[in-house]
Amino acid sequence: MNITTRSADYWQAIIFDFDGVIVESGDIKAQAFADLYRHHGEVIAQAAVDYHRANGGMSRYLKFHYFQKNLLNNPPLTKEEEQELDRQFSELVMNAVIACQPVAGAETLLNKMASQIPLFVASGTPESELQVIVERRNLSHYFTEVRGSPRLKETLIADILSAYPLDPERVLMIGDALVDYESAHQNGVAFLGRVRPGDDNPFPESVEIVPDLCPLTI
C-alpha cells in the first residue's frame, strides 16, 4: 500500500524536514549562498549554489567547509570564520524564511495530525535559528520537538526514536532531499519524498513522491 493511501491512524509519528517540506524556502537558501560567495566571483557563487542544490538537507556548516577547501582552495575555516559566515547567512535568510509561503497542504496536515500523534522537525538548519523561525511562523504548538544542526539528520531521527516509544516502521519521514531519504532509511522509518513541480527528482525510483502535502490531507 502506498504511503499516501494509508489511513492516518497507521502512523505513530511524523518527522518533517523544514525547508521545502513545510515552507517554500529552497530558493531563499540558494540565493543566500550566491550572495555570500559572490565576492569571490560569479563562477564560485554559481558553484556554491549548484553544490547546495545537489546536497539539500545538509548542514550549512558542512557546506561552508566544503566551499573553503574545494572551491576556494583555502586553509580550513577557523571557528571564528565559520561563525561569521553563519551570522551573515542567517542575516540573509531568516526574515525571508519567516515570511515565505508554506508548502501547499502543509498547515492543513499539521492541523489534522497534531492532535492525533506527535509531530517532529528534523532539519539541517541550526537548531536555535530553526526554533525562532518555527515560533515566528506560529507553528511551535504543532510540534513535540524541533531539532536541527549541527547534529546530522540521521542522528536527529535516531534521537527521536530512542526518546519516544515508537515503532520505526510506523514513523513517517517527509523530506525533499536525498539526505532525508538516506537518514530515514538508515533508521528504518518510512519515507515520502516531496519534489516541487519542475524540479529534478533526487530519489531512487522506488521512493514514493508528492508535489506538495495536499495528498496527505484527504
Side-chain angles (χ1 to χ4, degrees):
M1 184 182 291
N2 291 341
I3 286 170
T4 52
T5 57
R6 284 193 184 278
S7 62
D9 59 8
Y10 175 81
W11 303 111
Q12 293 180 347
I14 302 176
I15 303 172
F16 297 85
D17 179 40
F18 193 75
D19 294 299
V21 172
I22 293 176
V23 297
E24 295 284 19
S25 51
D27 291 338
I28 292 168
K29 300 289 180 78
Q31 185 60 51
F33 278 112
D35 292 345
L36 198 59
Y37 286 90
R38 183 162 284 117
H39 67 283
H40 294 290
E42 287 298 330
V43 171
I44 295 294
Q46 186 58 52
V49 169
D50 291 345
Y51 186 81
H52 162 69
R53 290 196 185 283
N55 294 276
M58 179 190 289
S59 162
R60 74 181 61 158
Y61 305 115
L62 296 178
K63 293 174 184 175
F64 292 155
H65 285 277
Y66 177 88
F67 298 152
Q68 183 78 357
K69 177 182 177 181
N70 296 283
L71 297 186
L72 305 179
N73 297 311
N74 284 340
L77 285 174
T78 65
K79 191 65 179 175
E80 291 73 20
E81 289 170 333
E82 180 190 87
Q83 289 173 344
E84 177 58 19
L85 285 170
D86 184 42
R87 185 195 66 77
Q88 293 178 34
F89 192 89
S90 293
E91 201 170 82
L92 288 166
V93 304
M94 183 174 278
N95 287 334
V97 174
I98 289 167
C100 75
Q101 291 294 311
V103 170
E107 292 190 18
T108 301
L109 179 63
L110 294 176
N111 235 356
K112 173 185 175 183
M113 300 305 296
S115 62
Q116 301 180 39
I117 58 174
L119 306 179
F120 302 90
V121 173
S123 169
T125 299
E127 191 164 290
S128 57
E129 179 181 311
L130 179 66
Q131 290 173 342
V132 170
I133 292 168
V134 170
E135 177 67 33
R136 292 276 299 278
R137 290 188 67 103
N138 297 315
L139 298 175
S140 297
H141 61 286
Y142 290 124
F143 298 111
T144 300
E145 288 193 45
V146 173
R147 297 172 177 248
S149 65
R151 288 169 295 172
L152 297 176
K153 194 159 295 190
E154 174 188 350
T155 304
L156 298 179
I157 296 171
D159 288 348
I160 291 168
L161 295 176
S162 65
Y164 298 88
L166 299 169
D167 175 358
E169 292 184 358
R170 295 182 62 190
V171 175
L172 175 63
M173 169 79 186
I174 307 175
D176 69 334
L178 189 60
V179 69
D180 299 326
Y181 164 72
E182 291 172 341
S183 298
H185 184 69
Q186 286 158 0
N187 281 284
V189 308
F191 181 79
L192 179 67
R194 190 267 166 139
V195 179
R196 187 171 59 170
D199 286 358
D200 293 335
N201 180 0
F203 303 114
E205 284 187 15
S206 60
V207 174
E208 186 178 350
I209 61 171
V210 289
D212 54 44
L213 300 192
C214 292
L216 294 170
T217 66
I218 300 168

